[in-house]
């Protein structure tokens, strides 16, 4: 298909005066749109991954994305605009400068290369401050790199060719439907299985449990229990009971009652290797204190 007169004029103007400037409102909006769509897709994928991971409570799955979508829209859009303005656009400008100096032309692949620098720095800071596991750090690094590099490439494309927001939103919607369909098919056919806690009973819970840091919980067959240096300095004698409060393995509870403290424990782990878990922290951001036999 032959090019239109307007396109040929634009190409001649670009060749004579260099590429169009990066700093424009359309580039900022396009980058923010890419970040918003990318974050929604990442949350959708994480929802499916969450269903396969060992956990004391059942995950929301990709349906949880619908619950956070209003929050993501109200607070995520302004954040996406700031990241697009303060990170994506400077990154595209730096990539254009480095590419021109080293290769003599505006090469697109400089953008993802430079995106790795701030993402790697941020991941390193999180690793030092929060001390998450290596797997969590790897996923965070990969997600951040894809989001930032993708947004910066969209910014570059918008600067060169014009408005791209509607295209980003349209392709993002199609991608969301595709991820949902592929994930549902994988779980529906049994190719991927959802995690479920092991079924147990009171006899299977008798024994000594430890947190690995000096805290122990001893559950006796007669229903008595003894805690030693559990979290919150819980030490003493008491009672325990097994309470299967519902029809699914997720409903199993172990209730312990001591003079200074009482806890409800949820069950996770694998068949033959159960774990006892108690949540602490904020309601919307729980952390888990775990005991193993």
């Amino acid at each position: 298909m032959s090019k239109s007169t307007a396109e040929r004029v634009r190409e001649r103007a670009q060749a004579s005066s260099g590429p169009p400037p990066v700093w424009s409102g359309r580039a900022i909006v396009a980058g923010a749109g890419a970040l918003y769509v990318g974050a929604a897709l990442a949350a959708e994928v994480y929802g499916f991954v969450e269903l396969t991971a060992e956990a004391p409570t059942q995950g929301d799955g990709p349906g949880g994305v619908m619950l956070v979508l209003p929050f993501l829209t109200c607070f995520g859009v302004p954040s996406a605009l700031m990241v697009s303005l303060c990170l994506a656009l400077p990154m595209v400008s730096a990539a254009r400068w480095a590419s021109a100096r080293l290769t003599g032309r505006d090469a697109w692949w400089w953008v993802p290369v430079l995106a790795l620098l701030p993402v790697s720095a941020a991941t390193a800071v999180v690793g030092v401050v929060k001390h998450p596991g290596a797997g969590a750090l790897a996923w965070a690094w990969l997600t951040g790199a894809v989001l930032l590099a993708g947004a910066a490439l969209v910014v570059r494309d918008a600067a060169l060719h014009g408005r791209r927001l509607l295209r980003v939103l349209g392709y993002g919607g199609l991608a969301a439907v595709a991820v949902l369909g592929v994930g549902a098919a994988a779980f529906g056919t049994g190719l991927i299985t959802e995690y479920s806690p092991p079924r147990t009973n009171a006899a299977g819970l008798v024994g000594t449990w430890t947190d690995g840091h000096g805290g122990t919980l001893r559950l006796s067959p007669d229903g008595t229990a003894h805690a030693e240096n559990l979290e919150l300095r819980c030490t003493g004698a008491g009672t325990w009971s097994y309470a299967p409060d519902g029809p699914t393995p997720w409903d199993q509870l172990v209730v312990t009652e001591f003079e200074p403290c009482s806890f409800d424990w949820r069950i996770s782990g694998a068949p033959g290797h159960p774990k006892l878990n108690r949540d602490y922290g904020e309601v919307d951001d729980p952390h888990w204190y775990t005991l193993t036999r």
Side-chain angles (χ1 to χ4, degrees):
M1 182 181 296
S2 61
K3 296 181 179 179
S4 65
T5 302
E7 288 176 333
R8 288 195 294 269
V9 170
R10 183 188 306 163
E11 288 181 355
R12 285 196 296 268
Q14 178 174 328
S16 61
S17 61
V22 173
W23 297 88
S24 65
R26 68 190 180 194
I28 297 172
V29 171
L35 286 168
Y36 176 83
V37 169
L41 288 173
E44 188 178 16
V45 172
Y46 176 77
F48 279 116
V49 173
E50 184 185 32
L51 293 178
T52 67
E54 178 185 317
T57 58
Q58 192 169 16
D60 295 325
V65 178
M66 299 304 297
L67 299 176
V68 302
L69 197 58
F71 173 84
L72 190 64
T73 301
C74 293
F75 299 97
V77 170
S79 299
L81 287 169
M82 289 299 298
V83 173
S84 179
L85 175 63
C86 299
L87 272 181
L89 267 73
M91 190 181 306
V92 174
S93 297
R96 178 176 289 180
W97 179 87
S99 179
R101 293 295 185 276
L102 298 177
T103 66
R105 58 189 179 87
D106 184 14
W108 68 268
W109 50 266
W110 274 94
V111 172
V113 169
L114 290 183
L116 298 179
L117 299 179
V119 172
S120 299
T123 305
V125 171
V126 172
V128 172
V129 175
K130 297 293 186 178
H131 305 289
L137 271 180
W139 276 111
W141 179 86
L142 180 61
T143 302
V146 171
L147 286 178
L148 189 55
L153 286 172
V154 169
V155 165
R156 179 181 183 276
D157 191 51
L160 291 175
H161 304 294
R163 295 181 178 88
R164 288 293 185 265
L165 179 61
L166 293 181
R167 180 178 297 184
V168 167
L169 295 179
Y171 284 143
L174 292 176
V177 173
V179 169
L180 184 62
V182 170
F187 280 93
T189 59
L191 182 64
I192 302 175
T193 57
E194 182 177 352
Y195 170 78
S196 180
R199 285 279 191 182
T200 187
N201 52 36
L205 295 168
V206 171
T208 301
W209 303 77
T210 177
D211 61 6
H213 302 284
T216 60
L217 172 65
R218 187 171 67 249
L219 305 180
S220 301
D222 60 359
T224 59
H226 187 273
E228 185 73 29
N229 294 324
L230 292 182
E231 190 193 18
L232 302 179
R233 298 182 180 179
C234 180
T235 297
T239 61
W240 75 279
S241 62
Y242 169 67
D245 286 346
T248 73
W250 297 101
D251 301 316
Q252 302 173 103
L253 289 177
V254 177
V255 180
T256 57
E257 297 182 357
F258 303 99
E259 184 67 28
C261 48
S262 297
F263 301 129
D264 291 344
W265 305 85
R266 293 186 175 274
I267 295 175
S268 66
H273 301 281
K275 299 176 183 177
L276 301 182
N277 307 272
R278 188 185 72 80
D279 65 310
Y280 65 95
E282 301 296 331
V283 175
D284 57 347
D285 185 27
H287 299 276
W288 294 95
Y289 177 65
T290 301
L291 304 178
T292 56
R293 202 191 302 274

